[in-house]
Amino acid sequence: MKISIAIAFSLSLFTASVAVFGTSSANNSIHIVSSRQKNLFVFKVKKSWQGAKVEVLTAKGECVSRQRLLMRKMVINFCDMKAGVYKITITKNGLQEEFQYSKN
């Protein structure tokens, strides 16, 4: 009787751990880091996103900047750009994350 209770308890713990830790890691793979300086967009990615393509596009869809993400943290400086809304896309292995930056 004690063995069957121990087995049932172990199975319930295993099931709970799969539900908690088995979720997709893509949900929190990129997060924005707040910056104290104006005109900077700072973000940090998980290691699996290193090597991703980062593009900065204008509201009209014109590419302003395109580069590879070599480190986990990237700072995009909007100081020399005109005021407006910009779209930042980060793409790797068919996955894409998009952010908007509004420069005043």
Side-chain angles (χ1 to χ4, degrees):
M1 184 72 172
K2 290 182 181 181
I3 294 174
S4 62
I5 293 173
I7 291 172
F9 181 74
S10 298
L11 286 175
S12 65
L13 282 178
F14 175 74
T15 305
S17 67
V18 168
V20 171
F21 297 109
T23 59
S24 173
S25 64
N27 293 339
N28 296 326
S29 58
I30 300 173
H31 66 276
I32 300 171
V33 179
S34 65
S35 142
R36 293 183 181 162
Q37 294 182 356
K38 189 177 178 181
N39 297 326
L40 294 181
F41 182 83
V42 183
F43 65 94
K44 193 171 185 180
V45 299
K46 289 188 176 182
K47 286 185 180 181
S48 62
W49 279 80
Q50 281 182 310
K53 181 174 67 170
V54 179
E55 292 181 317
V56 179
L57 306 169
T58 64
K60 296 178 182 178
E62 299 168 351
C63 184
V64 175
S65 173
R66 181 180 296 139
Q67 56 187 318
R68 288 278 172 205
L69 182 61
L70 300 177
M71 312 224 9
R72 291 184 60 205
K73 184 177 178 182
M74 179 177 257
V75 178
I76 301 173
N77 189 350
F78 287 91
C79 189
D80 296 333
M81 295 185 192
K82 296 179 182 177
V85 177
Y86 294 90
K87 183 168 74 168
I88 301 160
T89 60
I90 306 165
T91 309
K92 185 171 182 187
N93 297 334
L95 298 174
Q96 184 174 5
E97 293 284 334
E98 290 185 2
F99 300 98
Q100 280 193 345
Y101 180 81
S102 180
K103 182 180 177 185
N104 300 333

